[in-house]
Amino acid sequence: MLADGSEVLCVDNFFTGRRMNVAHLMDDPNFELMRHDVTFPLYVEVDEIYNLACPASPVHYQYDPVQTTKTSVHGAINMLGLAKRTGAKILQASTSEVYGDPTVHPQPESYWGNVNPVGSRSCYDEGKRCAETLFFDYHRQHGLEIKVARIFNTYGPRMHPEDGRVVSNFIIQALRNEPITLYGDGSQTRSFCYVDDLIEGFIKLMATPVDFTGPVNLGNPDEFTIRQLAEQVLDLVGGSSQLVERPLPADDPKQRQPDISLARKRLGWEPQYSLEVGLPKSIEYFRSLLKEI
Ligand code: UDP
Ligand code: UDP
């Protein structure tokens, strides 16, 4: 966005984000960094809002589940209030978790999901579902221009080393020659999107005509078992790590793959980075990060 000549105000409470990730932008006069929590009102002047606020890794969003729901729900209300006052277009980073443990495969946007409302993942899933509801009600009731993206598993450089999600865990374990922790038997599936592809999808979604609100799936449709991912990481990193099985967390979805027909049609978007290309870039990042620690 900065390269395109935009002024960027980056808002973060740094619960999981890190200043290091934007350190290279700090000298740009068009960039401003603000420590703020979206559960509190924010009065600034903007034309476009990308609302990505909320920890997204199970270990982080389950640390303080009440705060997680507040971040999605109060955060959405405040950002929608900001969009309403300023007339800004607003994009919501929603999630494949709105589909829960899906009984339809792959998941199209029309699928309403299979979500447990009272489980340990519910603070995230239901918070994000309620945020989608708020977006569509502000759209219908107040005429806001909204864009809702449902993000599937994403990975890449600048992930937190303690993120806790599967790609970063496996890479760091392999780099340290520690056991690779498969939760369950590793037969559950996910589809992994490289971060640059996802960002490209956001920018294209924001630029769609006013009548296009989404929700639209953004993710890579190449589906792998978690065991296959572990083997691929081991192949690339080398080292002496062994695969070990650990208990499967509650409500862990058994399968997940985006149907991206809508994104292909309306955004002219599809992922360019396969795991073979994205994993080495991520491994390189974590390798240099571990040298610094
Ligand atoms: N809000 C904000 N920034 C603004 C305008 C509103 O953070 O520039 C917050 C404000 O705290 C409010 C919420 O967004 O509680 C929702 O605003 P809205 O105008 O929809 O509701 P109201 O103020 O009428 O409750
Ligand atoms: N997982 C795993 N080992 C890990 C971390 C995660 O086997 O060290 C599994 C997890 O149980 C899930 C999948 O990998 O089935 C993806 O987990 P992640 O937390 O990355 O994201 P999710 O898709 O569950 O939100």
Side-chain angles (χ1 to χ4, degrees):
M1 289 175 196
L2 288 167
D4 288 343
S6 301
E7 288 179 44
V8 176
L9 171 63
C10 172
V11 177
D12 201 340
N13 73 347
F14 298 113
F15 177 58
T16 58
R18 302 200 296 168
R19 271 174 299 180
M20 223 178 97
N21 286 347
V22 291
H24 60 295
L25 305 173
M26 295 302 281
D27 289 336
D28 191 319
N30 286 330
F31 183 77
E32 190 179 345
L33 179 61
M34 182 179 184
R35 180 187 289 263
H36 176 81
D37 185 319
V38 290
T39 58
F40 297 100
L42 177 64
Y43 286 82
V44 291
E45 307 311 313
V46 288
D47 312 305
E48 292 182 351
I49 303 165
Y50 291 78
N51 182 34
L52 287 85
C54 195
S57 166
V59 283
H60 291 133
Y61 70 65
Q62 288 166 6
Y63 171 78
D64 187 348
V66 172
Q67 194 59 32
T68 299
T69 302
K70 283 186 188 171
T71 301
S72 281
V73 177
H74 293 182
I77 291 173
N78 286 328
M79 292 305 99
L80 287 160
L82 173 63
K84 185 176 145 206
R85 182 180 62 75
T86 58
K89 267 198 272 192
I90 180 163
L91 183 150
Q92 169 69 357
S94 189
T95 170
S96 55
E97 287 283 326
V98 301
Y99 302 125
D101 191 0
T103 55
V104 171
H105 194 75
Q107 294 81 55
E109 291 83 354
S110 55
Y111 176 50
W112 288 357
N114 177 32
V115 177
N116 176 358
V118 295
S120 53
R121 292 176 89 101
S122 310
C123 58
Y124 186 74
D125 300 11
E126 298 288 20
K128 288 284 191 179
R129 285 172 68 97
C130 184
E132 286 200 13
T133 307
L134 285 161
F135 267 68
F136 277 84
D137 282 331
Y138 268 81
H139 171 65
R140 284 184 289 252
Q141 196 174 329
H142 298 302
L144 257 62
E145 188 173 346
I146 61 159
K147 312 282 180 194
V148 175
R150 291 186 178 152
I151 305 170
F152 285 65
N153 296 63
T154 301
Y155 70 99
R158 303 206 178 102
M159 284 181 90
H160 197 291
E162 308 289 329
D163 180 87
R165 273 174 292 188
V166 69
V167 176
S168 48
N169 271 12
F170 285 2
I171 293 177
I172 288 177
Q173 289 163 346
L175 287 170
R176 289 180 169 153
N177 293 310
E178 288 170 358
I180 308 270
T181 53
L182 290 180
Y183 298 166
D185 62 4
S187 63
Q188 68 273 38
T189 69
R190 293 292 187 275
S191 311
F192 300 99
C193 185
Y194 187 66
V195 60
D196 291 19
D197 279 330
L198 180 74
I199 302 300
E200 189 68 29
F202 278 176
I203 307 281
K204 287 193 161 165
L205 174 56
M206 192 59 117
T208 50
V210 62
D211 69 325
F212 187 71
T213 56
V216 59
N217 290 337
L218 294 179
N220 191 319
D222 289 342
E223 185 180 359
F224 298 87
T225 66
I226 294 305
R227 186 176 286 275
Q228 284 173 322
L229 175 74
E231 284 162 356
Q232 198 162 346
V233 168
L234 264 182
D235 271 356
L236 288 166
V237 176
S240 58
S241 296
Q242 304 290 317
L243 304 188
V244 295
E245 294 187 11
R246 293 279 179 266
L248 190 66
D251 297 334
D252 199 277
K254 283 179 278 303
Q255 54 179 3
R256 184 182 286 155
Q257 188 204 123
D259 177 334
I260 59 164
S261 325
L262 184 66
R264 282 199 180 102
K265 184 162 163 235
R266 294 301 304 263
L267 274 56
W269 175 87
E270 78 182 302
Q272 304 297 320
Y273 292 85
S274 63
L275 269 184
E276 287 76 22
V277 182
L279 277 182
K281 287 175 182 287
S282 311
I283 291 166
E284 213 36 60
Y285 164 76
F286 284 113
R287 204 190 294 278
S288 58
L289 199 67
L290 291 186
K291 274 190 204 131
E292 286 167 25
I293 294 172

